[in-house]
């Protein structure tokens, strides 16, 4: 079989690429390619729309040139929905016998919509074992009903769901990701220099928490699984051999309570085996704040950037978000990371249904406070009800959504009615982002004597990059902000509501927690705050 996997880009592209020149390898697709190769004698190609700055016709042409039997698109990001549909449509028109597949966080929760729009099969949640089976079933013209964990269109046109596939218990059984299918030089991290390249690696899957806005828990279940340290070291040495200078650990939470001891061992083993690289990881503030010795060891092993999901500067809001942390822990976490020479990127959310102007300003001021404690960079996102989450179901039931055009669900535009005016939320998002850096610059905190040496060197490199991008930032403020405000104002006026039938379909597809086998567990997850 000939299989093409595609990473689509969304209309606004990746915010990280625009701001930091950060584009990591498409790990999900490399993993799936590894899976397919393990499943049999199949040929695989990866097309990365983002890395190659491709438009839809070029993606279609390039796909067809390979003459594939199966084409799979990764729909993590909700905002990549429409682009993916256009790609599938173009491919199907030219080659109707191709089997089109969709997978990833978004596709999992809107399978009917995908199947009505030029996709033949949607793979729910974890795709590895499903993909290994699927490729052979398609090759043998066998019955799709035999494959667990998919939604597909039957020959008579009806939509069928097969029983859920249990999660893989042993992640060490995963084949190695097929890094040979991509060109390292395309995966860059320009903020630190032109030759910096970024690989991705997952050491675990899932998250034991259940923040109300996040689609990770519904996608992977409320469970957390990890690879053994031996397997992690094997993958790391392969990545090092390939010459990547940065490794982005894609784990939702890189250190969770049950694996603290294992992580300490891992960091020691990385040091002993000379496998240190520049590491980037996503962390919880509570675990970081409470385990400074682990952070020190992580930094010694190579942790250079930590993304902290701080979310809010208001404790009451954090409670409502079901974050399970408090602001004092965020302060401590930033300090611990900073003191250990780690660059700190903080993520904050504005525009939750219960956010008021006062609370949002409190969050912005909290970002300043964290900046004074050592936070280096900020990302203000707009609270977005993503398919699969309970806030999406709630917003649908309460008819709060302005639009179901997925292009707008890029976490940068307000898409629902809340207590605050969406235009204000959007303005504050820009205001928060830009004043954070302006303030830093004016106060001269960017490069200062108290910054640990490990971090200072990277910050100096970043400074040069940002200086070169001043034009881009001015354009963002002068062009993107007014354009965004106009777009939002139009959306608010339209306020298109889906038909009752569509509404019910979205609610029931979104309420499927892929790996929560019992009805009772599912109901418990969705009844929080109902
Ligand atoms: C790495 C990462 C990025 C990277 C690279 C993204 C990429 N497309 O490869 C960067 C930094 C560029 C990025 C950008 C963005 N991201 Co991001 N990102 C992640 C992250 C942390 C890890 C993804 C990953 O590599 N996982 C490991 C691999 C092995 O798993 P996987 O990719 O999920 O694949 C498995 C299954 O999902 C499934 N599968 C996936 N695709 C397919 C396709 C087929 C055909 C099949 C059969 C199966 C299948 O099988 C795979 C193997 O089991 C996830 C969170 C997470 N932990 O998943 C967020 C996440 C995917 N990102 C998210 C968001 C919002 C964004 C941005 C919109 C942010 C922004 N405003 O800029 C952009 C969108 C960019 C884009 N065009 O896609 C959200 C998506 C939520 C949503 N429904 O929209 C997530 C879930 C984070 C979150 N908790 O909210 N992201
Ligand atoms: S936001 Fe982070 S901690 Fe919360 S559920 Fe998602 S991945 Fe887990």
């Amino acid at each position: 079989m000939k299989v093409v996997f595609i990473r689509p880009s969304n209309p606004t592209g990746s915010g990280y690429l625009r701001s930091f020149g950060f584009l990591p390898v498409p790990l999900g697709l490399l993993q799936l390619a590894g899976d397919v190769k393990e499943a049999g004698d199949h040929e695989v190609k990866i097309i990365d729309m983002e890395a190659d700055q491709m438009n839809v016709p070029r993606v279609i042409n390039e796909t067809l040139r390979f003459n594939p039997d199966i084409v799979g698109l990764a729909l993590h990001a909700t905002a990549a929905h429409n682009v993916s549909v256009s790609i599938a449509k173009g491919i199907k028109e030219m080659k109707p016998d191709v089997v089109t597949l969709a997978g990833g966080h978004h596709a999992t929760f809107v399978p009917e919509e995908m199947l009505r729009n030029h996709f033949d099969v949607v793979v729910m949640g974890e795709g590895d074992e499903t993909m290994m089976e699927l490729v052979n079933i398609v090759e043998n013209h066998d019955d799709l009903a035999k494959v667990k964990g998919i939604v597909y269109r039957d020959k008579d046109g009806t939509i069928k769901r097969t029983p859920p596939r249990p999660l893989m218990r042993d992640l060490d059984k995963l084949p190695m990701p097929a890094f040979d299918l991509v060109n390292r030089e395309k995966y860059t991290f320009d903020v630190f220099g032109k030759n910096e390249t970024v690989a991705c690696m997952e050491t675990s899957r899932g998250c034991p928490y259940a923040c109300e806005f996040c689609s990770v828990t519904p996608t992977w279940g409320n469970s957390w699984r990890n690879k053994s340290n031996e397997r992690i070291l094997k993958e790391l040495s392969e990545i090092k051999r390939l010459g990547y200078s940065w490794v982005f650990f894609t784990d939702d939470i890189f250190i969770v309570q049950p694996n603290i001891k294992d992580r300490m061992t891992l960091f020691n083993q990385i040091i002993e085996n000379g496998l240190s690289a520049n590491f980037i990881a996503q962390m919880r503030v509570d675990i970081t704040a409470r385990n400074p010795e682990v952070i020190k060891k992580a930094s010694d092993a190579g942790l250079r950037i930590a993304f902290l999901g701080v979310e809010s500067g208001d404790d009451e809001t954090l409670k409502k978000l079901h974050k399970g942390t408090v602001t004092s822990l965020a302060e401590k976490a930033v300090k611990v990371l900073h003191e250990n020479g780690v660059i700190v990127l903080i993520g904050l959310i504005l525009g939750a249904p219960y956010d008021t102007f006062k609370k949002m300003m409190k969050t912005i001021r909290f970002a300043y406070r964290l900046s004074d404690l050592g936070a280096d960079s900020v990302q203000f996102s707009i609270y977005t009800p993503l398919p699969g989450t309970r806030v999406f179901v709630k917003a649908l039931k309460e008819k709060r959504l302005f639009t179901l055009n997925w292009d707008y669900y890029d976490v940068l535009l307000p898409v629902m009615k809340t207590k605050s005016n969406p235009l204000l939320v959007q303005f504050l998002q820009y205001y928060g982002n830009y004043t954070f850096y302006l303030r830093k610059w004016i106060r001269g905190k960017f490069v200062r004597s108290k910054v640990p040496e490990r971090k200072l060197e990277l910050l100096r490199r970043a400074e040069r990059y940002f200086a070169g991008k001043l034009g881009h930032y001015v354009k963002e403020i002068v062009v993107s902000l007014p354009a965004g405000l106009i777009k939002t104002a139009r959306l608010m006026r339209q306020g298109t509501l889906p038909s009752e039938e569509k509404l019910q379909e979205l609610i029931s597809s979104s309420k499927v927690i892929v790996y929560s086998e019992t009805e009772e567990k599912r109901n418990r997850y969705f009844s929080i705050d109902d």
Side-chain angles (χ1 to χ4, degrees):
M1 288 265 106
K2 291 179 91 176
V3 184
V4 172
F5 286 119
I6 301 174
R7 161 152 80 179
S9 61
N10 62 44
T12 38
S14 157
Y16 301 96
L17 182 59
R18 276 200 316 277
S19 305
F20 309 114
F22 179 66
L23 185 70
V25 297
L27 178 65
L29 296 186
L30 299 188
Q31 182 59 60
L32 290 164
D35 301 337
V36 167
K37 285 176 161 205
E38 178 104 342
D41 188 18
H42 307 295
E43 245 183 281
V44 189
K45 181 180 171 72
I46 290 195
I47 295 182
D48 189 337
M49 207 175 163
E50 194 109 54
D52 286 325
Q53 309 262 303
M54 293 163 112
N55 58 19
V56 170
R58 211 181 123 204
V59 175
I60 296 169
N61 280 341
E62 197 128 316
T63 305
L64 293 172
R65 270 215 324 222
F66 188 68
N67 194 24
D69 306 289
I70 298 177
V71 175
L73 279 101
L75 271 120
H76 301 109
T78 300
H81 179 111
N82 292 342
V83 170
S84 304
V85 166
S86 308
I87 295 172
K89 179 172 185 267
I91 291 169
K92 275 291 204 189
E93 276 170 5
M94 302 298 286
K95 198 172 184 301
D97 59 330
V98 167
V99 178
T100 44
L101 312 178
H105 296 66
H106 173 70
T108 297
F109 297 109
V110 293
E112 288 86 357
E113 199 168 333
M114 308 265 58
L115 295 181
R116 275 196 304 271
N117 286 292
H118 317 283
F119 283 95
D120 300 310
V121 181
V122 174
V123 173
M124 308 282 285
E126 189 164 67
D128 309 274
E129 291 179 335
T130 310
M131 194 62 222
M132 284 164 125
E133 269 177 44
L134 206 50
V135 67
N136 291 330
I137 290 267
V138 173
E139 182 166 42
N140 299 325
H141 304 283
D142 206 343
D143 190 357
L144 287 173
K146 289 184 183 165
V147 184
K148 278 190 179 156
I150 60 168
V151 185
Y152 68 102
R153 213 168 347 90
D154 210 354
K155 290 194 182 79
D156 63 2
T158 52
I159 291 179
K160 300 241 162 94
R161 244 175 221 267
T162 60
R165 172 179 295 277
L167 281 170
M168 287 179 74
R169 281 290 138 212
D170 183 1
L171 293 183
D172 282 6
K173 294 221 168 97
L174 282 168
M176 292 288 275
F179 273 96
D180 56 312
L181 294 181
V182 290
N183 175 355
R184 174 174 58 89
E185 272 140 37
K186 290 181 187 169
Y187 298 98
T188 56
F189 200 176
D190 292 343
V191 68
F192 298 124
K194 275 285 162 215
N195 298 320
E196 305 292 315
T197 48
V198 206
C200 284
M201 190 182 153
E202 51 165 6
T203 68
S204 66
R205 284 183 179 174
C207 170
Y209 302 90
C211 307
E212 67 163 10
F213 53 86
C214 180
S215 61
V216 164
T217 299
T219 308
W220 297 111
N222 206 199
S223 73
W224 176 87
R225 299 157 292 153
N226 69 331
K227 292 180 179 167
S228 68
N229 285 353
E230 290 67 38
R231 166 67 189 235
I232 297 170
L233 294 173
K234 183 177 165 197
E235 287 191 37
L236 262 184
S237 58
E238 177 60 8
I239 287 172
K240 277 212 92 166
R241 188 187 68 75
L242 293 169
Y244 288 91
S245 40
W246 289 80
V247 179
F248 175 17
F249 290 111
T250 58
D251 310 41
D252 293 303
I253 311 289
F254 185 59
I255 304 175
V256 298
Q257 203 60 44
N259 80 340
I260 288 185
K261 247 171 125 187
D262 271 357
R263 283 298 188 233
M264 280 300 257
T265 314
L266 176 70
F267 298 143
N268 280 322
Q269 289 171 328
I270 289 175
I271 298 167
E272 281 157 22
N273 290 290
L275 290 175
S276 294
N278 297 306
F279 298 139
I280 310 165
Q282 310 189 94
M283 318 268 269
R284 292 253 319 170
V285 300
D286 46 359
I287 292 172
T288 307
R290 289 180 182 133
N291 297 283
E293 69 297 345
V294 182
I295 301 306
K296 177 172 184 319
K297 187 60 82 181
S299 171
D300 291 345
L303 181 67
R304 292 289 164 267
I305 302 180
F307 180 88
L308 280 181
V310 173
E311 324 303 8
S312 177
D314 177 58
D315 284 327
E316 207 184 308
T317 304
L318 283 173
K319 212 166 170 189
K320 289 188 172 150
L321 291 169
H322 293 272
K323 190 70 201 175
T325 58
V326 286
T327 47
S328 55
L329 285 172
E331 291 175 357
K332 191 150 181 236
V334 169
K335 263 176 89 176
V336 168
L337 288 163
H338 175 69
E339 282 163 10
N340 283 292
V342 180
I343 291 189
V344 189
L345 170 59
I346 52 172
L348 292 156
I349 297 177
L350 297 175
Y354 29 81
D355 243 353
T356 56
F357 174 67
K358 248 177 145 175
K359 284 189 192 265
M360 287 189 280
M361 284 309 292
K362 196 170 167 191
T363 294
I364 291 172
R365 278 196 301 272
F366 188 58
Y368 302 158
R369 160 107 188 106
L370 295 182
S371 161
D372 293 344
L373 293 173
D376 303 284
S377 185
V378 71
Q379 188 194 31
F380 282 97
S381 310
I382 293 185
Y383 184 99
T384 305
L386 296 169
T389 60
R390 51 185 185 272
V391 290
F392 180 66
V393 172
K394 204 163 177 227
L396 282 171
K397 284 184 180 164
E398 293 171 1
K399 303 199 168 31
R400 278 168 174 266
L401 299 175
F402 301 138
T403 179
L404 281 170
N405 179 346
W406 304 120
D407 277 356
Y408 297 116
Y409 284 66
D410 63 355
V411 306
L412 302 174
L413 278 173
V415 293
M416 73 188 271
K417 270 184 234 149
T418 59
K419 257 190 185 168
S420 313
N421 187 324
L423 295 172
L424 176 69
V425 176
Q426 200 173 13
F427 174 77
L428 289 180
Q429 182 209 16
Y430 273 80
Y431 175 81
N433 268 322
Y434 283 98
T435 54
F436 180 92
Y437 294 111
L438 191 67
R439 193 176 161 277
K440 221 175 216 322
W441 181 64
I442 292 170
R443 293 181 155 213
K445 296 242 172 184
F446 217 54
V447 176
R448 57 181 182 182
S449 54
K450 273 193 246 150
V451 177
E453 200 52 43
R454 248 176 209 170
K455 188 165 159 169
L456 197 57
E457 196 263 326
L458 287 173
L459 289 179
R460 285 206 174 109
R461 286 200 243 159
E463 248 199 337
R464 286 195 286 275
Y465 172 84
F466 291 125
K469 285 199 72 156
L470 269 180
H472 162 81
Y473 300 122
V474 172
K475 196 174 143 219
E476 281 261 301
I477 298 173
V478 180
V479 181
S480 307
L481 173 60
L485 290 173
I486 293 169
K487 220 191 278 181
T488 307
R490 277 204 197 119
L491 277 180
M492 285 163 63
R493 265 218 319 271
Q494 278 171 10
T496 35
L497 286 174
S499 67
E500 196 51 37
E501 199 187 356
K502 170 97 183 169
L503 201 72
Q504 289 315 323
E505 175 193 296
L506 283 170
I507 291 174
S508 72
S509 305
S510 202
K511 275 184 108 167
V512 172
I513 305 179
V514 188
Y515 296 103
S516 165
E517 299 83 3
T518 63
E519 186 73 13
E520 188 247 323
K521 260 190 165 176
R522 222 182 350 255
N523 289 342
R524 200 178 329 135
Y525 176 84
F526 276 98
S527 67
I528 305 177
D529 273 356
D530 251 2

